């Protein structure tokens, strides 16, 4: 009588398979395009930013832009990748429980013979799977660009940085889903996650520019990139802190979701 | 197994400061078709959502198959087919994919019935659910509620938004489900929608059960409007003295009255004179319910003053 396999997981995939295809193509295209500039401007880049005030340079992550790893970090992992993926993941996290509860499209699922926590965890897993797909596509685009555009960044370090980005994006998306599921309000989930992500981004930029270590210690963006994984490889402590975002948020959301009134 | 399928005792549900249910009582027996009638905002959908464990009661208790909805959990919901009052269907997937998804959530039950039901309701399974008209969405809702042949059907205004033909088809499904032994609990604003299929009817208003009776009982209590035209002016007082005759009015040679119960005595009395024409028609139950909606005190109070308004 119980639900077959992972019907809730499969359903989220079915609803979002088109969207993820579009986003994947866009991410790969943008990554490719930006990295294609590297051979043309790599050397000039250093010269170009040299005139900038040092604080501004560091805030933008341009202080090492003259190296391939620095360019890749500033353009892909420090900005475009996380920002685009966060827009996607936070929107998705807010939608798959709270958003669909609010617009009523989750009612039949909630009335079906599926436990609330089962539905929650399967939908969360589907969000992670979709994010994983996009991170993988982005990573492949970076890896393919390496030899093409003469980036010379180690594959292992790219994978380590992508892993950190995956944990960061997954973490904020999980917060959107968890807060949404806890409150029944998509807006609350999206606002909480987007607000925290923006703070994290600002904290890291300010910390870099002004050297405020406290802010860096509090910023998931600093947890992701502070150890310079593109140069030094996996930052295990940073990755563990990023994982904590999800490990804390997800069960809290599940706990509250199982206890409150639905569809109100 | 007990022979009551749904029991509610003193059920209270607050939405913040709004009291939606205010001590509602219900008892639905196994195998019956039960109409749940009330005006907008009476608390029908709220009651139903408590039964499906979407809402948790503020006070009082509801039991389905002897279990509270929260304790029964998924295993209890597996025995129920539910049609929401305001069905929202979204997403890019097709109607067929949607129905297959719902079947998968029920461990595959009902999957084999999808094609036949879609054909019966002339629903195009290939259309994306988003693009379906309101009536076609309602068809998806009806199909998913019935497809796994549940023991209990909980239908929140099942015929709303459907044309008369489809309304008839839904009521036919209700009869078929009832014939195979299922219990049906269906809500409506209007008695007319349920009176042809319901065995019993509960009337609720402002979160309370105002009355419960069989449809036949309601009809009996509602009575008939009788009109008799005599060759000579009839004696109104004599007519009013007859048991079951009320609200006698004489207009020239025509006597009209409300008759509750058997017509025998009235006919015998009338036959003493010369009757030129007569008619007797069931009072419209809907009128009676309009009064219940407007008045406190249930049907008993409503019956008396109906024709006096
Ligand atoms: N989510 C909610 N928040 C606050 N109040 C609500 C909510 N849902 C319903 N109510 C209120 O609770 C009462 C009962 O509503 P309910 O939807 O159960 O009525 P109903 O009998 O199903 O009405 P209808 O025939 O219009 O569907 C109404 O006064 C309604 O305004
Ligand atoms: Mg309703």
């Amino acid at each position: 009588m119980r639900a077959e396999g992972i019907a809730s997981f499969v359903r989220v995939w079915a609803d979002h398979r088109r969207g993820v295809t579009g986003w994947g193509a866009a991410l790969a295209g943008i990554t490719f395009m930006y990295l294609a500039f590297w051979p043309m401007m790599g050397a000039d880049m250093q010269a170009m930013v040299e005139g900038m005030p040092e604080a501004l340079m560091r805030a933008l992550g341009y202080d090492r832009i003259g190296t391939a790893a620095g360019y890749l970090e500033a353009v892909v992992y420090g900005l475009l990748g996380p920002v685009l993926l966060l827009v996607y993941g936070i929107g998705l996290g807010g939608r798959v429980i709270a958003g669909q509860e609010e617009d009523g499209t989750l009612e039949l699922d909630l009335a079906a013979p599926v436990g609330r926590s089962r539905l929650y965890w399967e939908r969360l897993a589907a969000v992670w799977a979709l994010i994983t797909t996009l991170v993988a596509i982005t990573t492949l685009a970076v890896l393919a660009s390496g030899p093409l555009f003469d980036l010379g960044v180690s594959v292992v370090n790219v994978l380590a940085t992508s892993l950190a980005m995956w944990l960061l994006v997954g973490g904020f998306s999980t917060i959107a889903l968890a807060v949404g599921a806890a409150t029944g309000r998509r807006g609350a989930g999206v606002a909480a996650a987007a607000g925290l992500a923006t703070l994290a981004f600002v904290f890291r930029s300010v910390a870099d520019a002004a050297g405020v270590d406290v802010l860096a210690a509090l910023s998931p963006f600093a947890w992701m990139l502070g150890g310079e994984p593109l140069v030094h490889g996996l930052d295990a402590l940073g990755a563990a802190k990023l994982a904590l975002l999800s490990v804390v948020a997800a069960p809290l959301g599940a706990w509250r979701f199982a206890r409150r009134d639905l569809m109100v | 197994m007990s022979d009551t399928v749904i029991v509610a005792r003193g059920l209270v549900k607050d939405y913040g400061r709004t009291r939606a249910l205010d001590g509602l009582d219900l008892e639905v027996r196994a195998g019956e078709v039960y109409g749940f009638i009330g005006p907008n905002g009476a608390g029908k959908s709220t009651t139903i959502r408590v039964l499906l464990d979407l809402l948790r009661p503020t006070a009082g208790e509801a039991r389905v198959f002897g279990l509270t909805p929260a304790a029964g959990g998924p295993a209890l919901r597996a025995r129920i087919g539910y049609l929401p009052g305001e069905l929202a269907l979204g997403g890019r997937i097709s109607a067929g994919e949607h129905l297959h998804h719902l079947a998968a959530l029920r461990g595959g039950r009902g999957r084999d019935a999808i094609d036949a039901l879609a054909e019966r309701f002339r629903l195009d399974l290939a259309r994306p659910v988003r693009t379906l008209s309101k009536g076609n969405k309602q068809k998806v809702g009806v199909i998913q509620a019935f497809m796994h042949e549940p023991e209990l059907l909980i239908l929140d205004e099942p015929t709303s938004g459907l044309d008369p033909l489809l309304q008839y088809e839904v009521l036919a499904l209700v009869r078929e489900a009832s014939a195979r032994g299922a219990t049906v609990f269906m809500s409506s604003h209007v008695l007319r929608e349920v009176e042809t299929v319901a065995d019993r009817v509960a009337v609720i208003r402002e979160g309370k059960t105002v009355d419960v009776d069989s449809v036949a009982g309601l009809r009996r209590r509602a009575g008939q409007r009788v009109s008799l035209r005599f060759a000579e002016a009839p004696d109104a007082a004599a007519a009013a003295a007859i048991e079951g005759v009320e609200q006698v009015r004489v207009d020239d040679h025509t006597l009209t009255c409300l008759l509750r119960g058997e017509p025998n005595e009235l006919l015998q009395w009338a036959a003493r004179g010369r009757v030129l024409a007569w008619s007797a028609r069931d009072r419209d139950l809907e009128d009676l319910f309009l009064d219940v909606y407007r008045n406190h005190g249930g049907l008993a109070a409503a019956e008396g003053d109906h024709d006096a308004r």
Side-chain angles (χ1 to χ4, degrees):
Chain A
M1 291 307 112
R2 288 305 184 83
E4 265 175 6
I6 46 171
S8 298
F9 177 95
V10 171
R11 176 60 203 266
V12 175
W13 257 105
D15 280 339
H16 296 277
R17 66 193 164 203
R18 282 221 223 164
V20 81
T21 314
W23 276 84
L27 275 160
I30 289 171
T31 304
F32 235 63
M33 192 179 80
Y34 274 89
L35 294 183
F37 287 138
W38 169 248
M40 289 175 266
M41 46 201 329
D44 302 340
M45 197 69 91
Q46 190 70 47
M48 190 180 86
V49 298
E50 240 147 42
M52 283 188 177
E54 199 172 309
L56 177 65
M57 247 168 52
R58 276 208 305 266
L60 295 172
Y62 285 180
D63 48 332
R64 296 180 308 275
I65 207 157
T67 68
Y71 182 77
L72 184 57
E73 184 191 305
V75 173
V76 175
Y77 287 107
L79 192 67
L80 286 172
V83 169
L84 292 177
L85 286 164
L86 281 169
V87 168
Y88 177 82
I90 290 174
L92 184 68
R95 160 126 200 93
V96 296
I97 292 183
Q100 289 201 244
E101 188 187 335
E102 279 180 319
D103 73 18
T105 54
L106 202 57
E107 183 162 12
L108 290 176
D109 292 65
L110 292 168
V114 182
R116 287 194 198 175
S117 25
R118 169 104 181 239
L119 181 136
Y120 178 97
W121 290 109
E122 279 191 35
R123 286 189 169 250
L124 177 62
V127 166
W128 274 87
L130 287 161
I131 289 170
T132 306
T133 306
L134 292 184
V135 170
I137 288 170
T138 309
T139 307
L140 287 175
V142 170
L143 291 176
S145 306
L148 279 177
F149 310 129
D150 205 18
L151 278 166
V153 181
S154 105
V155 172
V156 174
N157 292 357
V158 166
L159 292 177
T161 315
S162 284
L163 175 77
M165 180 169 73
W166 178 69
L167 289 170
L168 175 114
V169 172
F172 285 114
S173 307
T174 300
I175 289 172
L177 183 143
V179 174
T183 58
R185 300 284 173 264
R186 179 185 162 279
V190 169
L196 288 172
T198 307
L199 266 186
F201 193 83
V202 170
F203 275 17
R204 170 158 193 266
S205 303
V206 172
D208 276 1
V212 189
D213 289 346
V214 182
L215 292 184
L218 288 173
S219 168
F221 273 93
W223 304 343
M224 171 185 162
L225 294 172
E228 293 187 37
L230 281 172
V231 181
H232 305 300
L234 182 69
D235 173 2
L237 182 62
K241 287 192 209 161
L242 288 169
L244 215 55
L245 291 176
S246 308
V247 171
V248 171
L252 288 176
W255 185 84
R256 184 68 198 131
F257 182 61
R259 275 155 192 81
R260 70 176 174 83
D261 285 343
L262 302 176
M263 315 278 315
V264 293
Chain B
M1 221 199 70
S2 75
D3 57 354
T4 50
V5 171
I6 300 174
V7 184
R9 290 203 204 296
L11 198 60
V12 175
K13 181 65 199 176
D14 292 340
Y15 293 108
R17 258 187 241 127
T18 315
R19 177 144 294 189
L21 297 180
D22 190 13
L24 183 108
D25 295 309
L26 269 182
E27 196 167 309
V28 180
R29 300 174 198 138
E32 72 179 335
V33 177
Y34 197 94
F36 191 49
I37 313 292
N40 288 125
K44 304 181 294 293
S45 299
T46 302
T47 306
I48 284 172
R49 285 177 172 177
V50 168
L51 298 177
L52 287 152
D53 194 36
L54 296 169
L55 302 174
R56 308 269 159 85
T58 305
E61 186 182 67
R63 284 179 184 272
V64 181
F65 294 116
L67 298 165
T68 65
L76 178 57
R77 291 199 295 279
R79 304 167 71 182
I80 302 174
Y82 169 50
L83 176 63
E86 286 161 40
L87 179 65
L89 297 174
R92 293 178 177 280
I93 68 173
S94 69
E97 284 178 290
H98 194 88
L99 288 167
H100 279 274
H101 161 64
L102 292 168
L105 286 177
R106 295 171 183 145
R109 280 166 66 227
R111 187 172 285 149
D112 299 338
I114 292 173
D115 288 343
L117 281 168
E119 191 150 321
R120 179 166 172 183
F121 279 88
R122 284 183 299 283
L123 172 70
D124 182 358
L125 290 173
R127 289 271 302 275
V129 281
R130 231 163 20 100
T131 68
L132 294 176
S133 67
K134 183 169 161 26
N136 279 314
K137 282 186 180 159
Q138 187 73 356
K139 291 180 192 175
V140 175
V142 169
I143 291 172
Q144 64 82 30
F146 284 87
M147 67 188 188
H148 56 306
E149 305 205 332
E151 292 165 70
L152 169 63
L153 282 146
I154 297 181
L155 311 172
D156 198 353
E157 299 185 30
T159 54
S160 78
L162 296 180
D163 62 40
L165 208 63
L166 286 170
Q167 287 189 14
Y168 178 84
E169 205 59 50
V170 171
L171 296 181
L173 271 181
V174 168
R175 282 195 202 91
E176 287 162 27
S178 173
R180 66 169 164 76
T183 307
V184 183
F185 183 75
M186 58 193 287
S187 79
S188 180
H189 297 122
V190 283
L191 181 70
R192 199 177 341 103
E193 281 177 0
V194 302
E195 68 178 328
T196 56
V197 288
D199 300 307
R200 290 200 300 155
V201 172
V203 183
I204 71 159
R205 190 174 180 283
E206 290 175 3
K208 285 197 186 75
T209 314
V210 199
D211 198 2
V212 181
D213 203 346
S214 64
V215 173
L218 284 174
R219 254 189 226 295
R220 207 160 33 243
R221 286 156 61 192
Q224 287 182 309
R225 185 133 292 280
V226 177
S227 168
L228 293 158
R229 190 150 60 84
F230 292 90
E232 282 146 42
D235 178 358
I242 298 167
E243 171 147 0
V245 173
E246 292 167 28
Q247 298 170 24
V248 177
R249 232 167 282 165
V250 175
D251 181 14
D252 196 13
H253 289 186
T254 303
L255 178 144
T256 55
C257 65
L258 175 66
L259 172 68
R260 281 191 237 270
E262 289 182 15
N264 191 37
E265 251 187 277
L266 176 67
L267 289 180
Q268 283 181 350
W269 171 81
R272 280 182 224 144
R274 185 169 163 226
V275 182
L276 300 177
W278 71 281
S279 74
R281 64 181 169 79
D282 284 343
R283 229 170 108 206
D284 198 349
L285 290 185
E286 222 51 71
D287 288 346
L288 196 62
F289 277 91
L290 284 178
D291 290 342
V292 178
Y293 288 178
R294 291 195 195 106
N295 301 307
H296 288 280
L299 286 181
E303 279 160 5
D305 60 22
H306 173 263
D307 287 274
R309 67 186 144 128

